[in-house]
Amino acid sequence: DAGVIQSPRHEVTEMGQEVTLRCKPISGHDYLFWYRQTMMRGLELLIYFNNNVPIDDSGMPEDRFSAKMPNASFSTLKIQPSEPRDSAVYFCASREDSSNQPQHFGDGTRLSIL
Amino acid sequence: GESVGLHLPTLSVQEGDNSIINCAYSNSASDYFIWYKQESGKGPQFIIDIRSNMDKRQGQRVTVLLNKTVKHLSLQIAATQPGDSAVYFCAEEAGNQFYFGTGTSLTVIP
């Protein structure tokens, strides 16, 4: 079975540029999560969706960050404008829509803002 | 042991020995707990989970213990192998609230 697919795997760009990260969840999963991982702060939940609707975006650091889920098989996390402190690994995860189910993670996008 | 905080504990074990990784959680309303393994360059991978109505669950070479009285979770790995070297995270869920620990780095010495 295909797992959660993220693209790109690596992104290097200059500060001020727009960055778009993409995620395809596991088919049939109704929850989708975006996380950021850094050495300093560990794994931070940014936002999650249920049935394509954003449920909790309290972890989104600033207005420069936005996430969308136009359909059940695709989500984007956008940073505009990007800053060096946004450098991190960004993970997407999905989960079935029932209680007590684990999240399944993609392999992440390693983002470097110069 | 690990807590939902900012430091990354490390654990080194000899190949073939048993490993115990600990986690202290803070939300007494959490009713579902999960252990993940993260290898370098990859996302966290589900290992084993446990619901709050249980205190022990066993998988293949892994056992999770839950002590709700002291809000403590542990992961035991039997006969640790070099492929077990990774960062291990505990996670807890309380309704639609999700929390991850900062992880424990396990190194297996051949």
Side-chain angles (χ1 to χ4, degrees):
Chain A
D1 289 342
V4 174
I5 300 172
Q6 293 186 245
S7 64
R9 288 299 315 276
H10 303 274
E11 175 89 11
V12 181
T13 192
E14 294 186 346
M15 64 177 294
Q17 298 298 307
E18 178 179 290
V19 173
T20 300
L21 311 182
R22 297 172 174 80
C23 175
K24 177 178 168 56
I26 293 173
S27 178
H29 283 193
D30 295 318
Y31 278 84
L32 185 141
F33 304 81
W34 281 103
Y35 289 89
R36 178 172 67 177
Q37 187 176 42
T38 61
M39 289 298 294
M40 289 298 294
R41 302 172 74 92
L43 199 61
E44 302 174 275
L45 176 62
L46 302 177
I47 185 172
Y48 76 90
F49 297 82
N50 183 19
N51 292 319
N52 313 338
V53 176
I55 302 301
D56 184 354
D57 65 354
S58 60
M60 296 286 262
E62 301 171 32
D63 291 344
R64 299 184 296 106
F65 286 69
S66 62
K68 294 182 179 179
M69 192 164 186
N71 57 63
S73 59
F74 183 66
S75 178
T76 59
L77 178 67
K78 188 171 293 187
I79 309 172
Q80 168 62 21
S82 58
E83 296 183 4
R85 61 194 169 113
D86 302 330
S87 298
V89 181
Y90 290 81
F91 288 103
C92 176
S94 69
R95 198 195 82 176
E96 294 179 37
D97 188 10
S98 57
S99 61
N100 297 338
Q101 294 293 327
Q103 298 177 29
H104 297 265
F105 284 77
D107 282 337
T109 295
R110 182 173 294 276
L111 178 63
S112 296
I113 308 297
L114 307 177
Chain B
E2 165 191 14
S3 64
V4 182
L6 298 175
H7 64 279
L8 186 66
T10 59
L11 176 66
S12 294
V13 297
Q14 206 72 35
E15 180 179 358
D17 287 352
N18 297 333
S19 303
I20 300 176
I21 300 171
N22 297 302
C23 176
Y25 65 94
S26 57
N27 190 348
S28 57
S30 293
D31 58 2
Y32 178 57
F33 304 88
I34 314 106
W35 280 101
Y36 293 90
K37 171 186 180 183
Q38 186 176 23
E39 296 174 282
S40 180
K42 295 188 176 181
Q45 178 185 16
F46 167 75
I47 301 174
I48 192 168
D49 58 2
I50 189 168
R51 295 174 174 77
S52 59
N53 61 352
M54 303 171 68
D55 53 21
K56 180 179 180 179
R57 191 167 187 219
Q58 288 185 289
Q60 186 177 14
R61 283 201 306 119
V62 294
T63 301
V64 56
L65 299 177
L66 174 63
N67 185 331
K68 293 182 290 295
T69 302
V70 295
K71 291 189 284 189
H72 183 268
L73 191 68
S74 69
L75 176 70
Q76 300 178 2
I77 304 174
T80 313
Q81 303 169 358
D84 295 327
S85 293
V87 175
Y88 290 81
F89 293 92
C90 68
E92 56 182 301
E93 292 188 7
N96 281 332
Q97 301 292 318
F98 308 93
Y99 309 96
F100 273 81
T102 52
T104 294
S105 177
L106 174 65
T107 300
V108 181
I109 304 166

